[in-house]
């Protein structure tokens, strides 16, 4: 199927079935399931497939598309590819969209592009992101990671500047620990730009946010959008029988085959059986499980196809769990050694 530019008209029923949640104590609603453009929107994926996924997502009420400066591969290509599709398909719907991007990891050569939280890097990166995406502003701009070598006041000050310049509507952070998040909240509050949202990794096999971060977010009225809710694909049926060709693990895309231990697979298979008993796919149950907590605003999914997208959105059909189900899940929802971002949240 060839998708032609400029022939897209969004479905008139796009808001009929999606669930929206308020982001902390702000005035912003996000879809319970948002679309992340991490690994499936680089130059190694046909543009027509990317376009089909974005169109279908919006047609089903997914109003939030999440990017970062280094998404690809190569770096920057996800934003550039999105910009191409946005100009042709979504520009007319800009006021119905929440677009986000981030700065924090290495991006361009030399001392000013190696990532972190310096004012120079953060604000320069935002300007580059806006140019690649072809937009005047993003709705949410994140500090992608905590930088222990830069004063937190400088990093939060850069986010405040981005908002005051009109290049972002809201400020966010990602992979910050509970205590550092509380500090960030206080700094931004004093500057007059409240922290809107935190984006941590969170899944059945990676529950670090339950230690103290969710408590901080709830107390401070900050939203939470969980990324990698399917544990880089481990919480799907994909790896129950081995490593299929073309999967993330086979390509070493954020999921090493070393993580597919027999212990992890034993827990995953048990969770899969439970999902089947609930009439859900494992992925659907994994997403619904995260959304069980009202402090979670949204779960951020990746989708390599329209079918995968639709399966994930099916999680919204059954968000209820009995206490017995939650107790059984707790026996298998255990640390799987998959938190690739723990260095940022260790401070």
């Amino acid at each position: 199927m060839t998708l032609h530019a400029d022939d897209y008209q969004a479905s008139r029923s796009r808001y009929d079935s999606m669930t929206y949640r308020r982001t902390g104590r702000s005035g912003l609603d996000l879809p319970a399931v948002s679309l992340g453009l991490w690994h499936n929107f680089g130059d190694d994926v046909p543009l027509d497939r990317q376009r089909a996924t974005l169109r279908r997502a919006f047609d089903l009420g997914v109003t939030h598309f999440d990017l970062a400066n280094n998404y690809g591969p190569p770096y920057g290509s996800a934003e550039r590819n999105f910009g191409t599709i946005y100009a042709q398909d979504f520009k007319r719907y800009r006021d119905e969209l929440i677009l986000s991007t981030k700065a924090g990891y290495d991006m361009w050569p030399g001392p000013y592009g190696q990532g972190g939280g310096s004012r120079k890097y953060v604000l320069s990166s935002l300007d580059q992101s806006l140019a690649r995406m072809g937009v005047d502003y993003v709705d949410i701009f994140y500090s992608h990671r905590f930088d222990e070598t830069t004063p937190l006041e400088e990093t939060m000050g850069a986010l405040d500047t981005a908002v005051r310049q009109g290049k972002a509507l809201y400020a966010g952070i990602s992979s910050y620990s509970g205590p550092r998040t509380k500090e960030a909240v206080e700094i931004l509050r004093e500057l007059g730009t409240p922290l809107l949202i935190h984006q941590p990794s969170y899944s059945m096999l990676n529950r670090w946010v339950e230690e103290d971060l969710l408590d901080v977010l709830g107390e401070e009225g900050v939203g939470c959008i969980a990324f990698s809710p399917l544990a880089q694909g481990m919480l799907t049926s994909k790896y129950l029988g081995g490593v299929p060709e073309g999967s993330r693990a086979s390509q070493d895309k954020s999921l090493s085959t070393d993580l597919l231990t027999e212990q992890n697979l034993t827990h995953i298979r048990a969770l899969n059986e439970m999902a089947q008993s609930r009439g859900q796919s494992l992925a659907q149950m994994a997403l619904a499980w995260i959304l069980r907590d009202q402090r979670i605003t949204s779960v951020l999914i990746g989708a390599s196809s329209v079918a995968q997208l639709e399966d994930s959105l099916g999680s919204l059909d059954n968000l209820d769990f009995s206490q017995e189900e939650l107790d059984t899940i707790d026996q298998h929802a255990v640390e799987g050694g998959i938190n690739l971002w723990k260095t940022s949240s260790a401070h």
Side-chain angles (χ1 to χ4, degrees):
M1 177 180 64
T2 301
L3 299 174
H4 299 286
D6 302 318
D7 65 358
Y8 171 62
Q9 295 290 330
S11 170
R12 293 185 178 182
S13 62
R14 59 189 176 276
Y15 297 116
D16 290 354
S17 59
M18 176 55 69
T19 299
Y20 296 90
R21 291 186 171 190
R22 187 55 55 96
T23 309
R25 288 197 290 267
S26 76
L28 183 68
D29 289 332
L30 291 180
V33 177
S34 300
L35 181 62
L37 278 64
W38 182 14
H39 273 316
N40 299 305
F41 291 82
D43 288 347
D44 57 343
V45 176
L47 199 63
D48 271 3
R49 190 194 307 171
Q50 298 181 33
R51 189 190 304 275
T53 303
L54 289 166
R55 286 182 177 184
R56 185 59 175 154
F58 189 55
D59 282 346
L60 292 173
V62 178
T63 54
H64 178 28
F65 299 149
D66 179 78
L67 300 99
N69 58 357
N70 64 343
Y71 286 0
Y75 287 178
S77 60
E79 289 181 329
R80 176 169 40 77
N81 290 333
F82 174 78
T84 297
I85 298 169
Y86 167 82
Q88 296 167 348
D89 288 354
F90 293 102
K91 191 171 185 178
R92 75 193 76 173
Y93 302 109
R94 178 64 182 95
D95 292 339
E96 298 183 44
L97 294 173
I98 299 297
L99 304 180
S100 60
T101 195
K102 315 176 195 70
Y105 292 97
D106 66 294
M107 186 60 197
W108 65 87
Y112 314 119
Q114 295 307 298
S118 75
R119 183 179 183 86
K120 169 69 174 175
Y121 165 73
V122 170
L123 293 177
S124 295
S125 178
L126 176 57
D127 285 340
Q128 293 178 20
S129 291
L130 294 178
R132 282 189 292 267
M133 295 169 69
V135 296
D136 296 326
Y137 70 96
V138 290
D139 297 275
I140 307 170
F141 182 46
Y142 289 91
S143 167
H144 206 168
R145 68 177 178 91
F146 177 73
D147 176 15
E148 74 278 10
T149 70
T150 300
L152 192 55
E153 290 80 2
E154 180 174 345
T155 305
M156 295 303 102
L159 296 183
D160 173 68
T161 295
V163 172
R164 292 182 183 278
Q165 289 178 338
K167 296 176 181 179
L169 300 186
Y170 298 97
I173 59 176
S174 179
S175 299
Y176 279 52
S177 67
R180 293 300 187 183
T181 296
K182 193 170 183 63
E183 287 182 47
V185 168
E186 293 169 353
I187 293 169
L188 284 170
R189 185 176 290 147
E190 289 181 5
L191 291 171
T193 298
L195 180 65
L196 174 79
I197 195 166
H198 189 299
Q199 186 176 134
S201 61
Y202 183 30
S203 73
M204 287 177 167
L205 302 180
N206 178 20
R207 301 178 64 171
W208 72 276
V209 301
E210 297 174 7
E211 295 173 10
D212 62 1
L213 179 59
L214 286 178
D215 289 338
V216 170
L217 299 180
E219 292 165 3
E220 299 294 346
V222 176
C224 183
I225 181 168
F227 78 88
S228 197
L230 302 182
Q232 293 92 265
M234 289 174 65
L235 290 170
T236 68
S237 59
K238 186 178 298 182
Y239 299 107
L240 295 177
V243 180
E245 186 177 351
S247 64
R248 284 192 187 184
S250 69
Q251 301 175 61
D252 198 25
K253 274 191 171 184
S254 79
L255 178 60
S256 169
T257 53
D258 293 341
L259 296 174
L260 296 170
T261 63
E262 192 55 41
Q263 179 178 357
N264 278 344
L265 288 172
T266 296
H267 289 303
I268 292 168
R269 290 180 183 122
L271 291 169
N272 183 59
E273 290 180 8
M274 185 171 181
Q276 291 178 338
S277 71
R278 285 171 48 85
Q280 292 180 306
S281 68
L282 175 55
Q284 289 170 344
M285 187 180 77
L287 297 174
W289 179 83
I290 292 178
L291 290 169
R292 80 197 186 285
D293 192 319
Q294 291 303 306
R295 293 170 296 185
I296 301 293
T297 309
S298 182
V299 288
L300 193 59
I301 64 165
S304 59
S305 67
V306 168
Q308 195 177 84
L309 169 78
E310 292 174 344
D311 180 74
S312 292
L313 291 175
S315 62
L316 301 178
D317 294 336
N318 184 8
L319 295 177
D320 297 324
F321 291 87
S322 68
Q323 188 57 53
E324 181 181 358
E325 286 177 318
L326 292 174
D327 291 342
T328 302
I329 287 173
D330 278 341
Q331 298 175 27
H332 300 286
V334 298
E335 173 59 42
I338 64 167
N339 186 0
L340 308 180
W341 307 270
K342 62 183 178 182
T343 300
S344 175
S345 57
H347 300 279

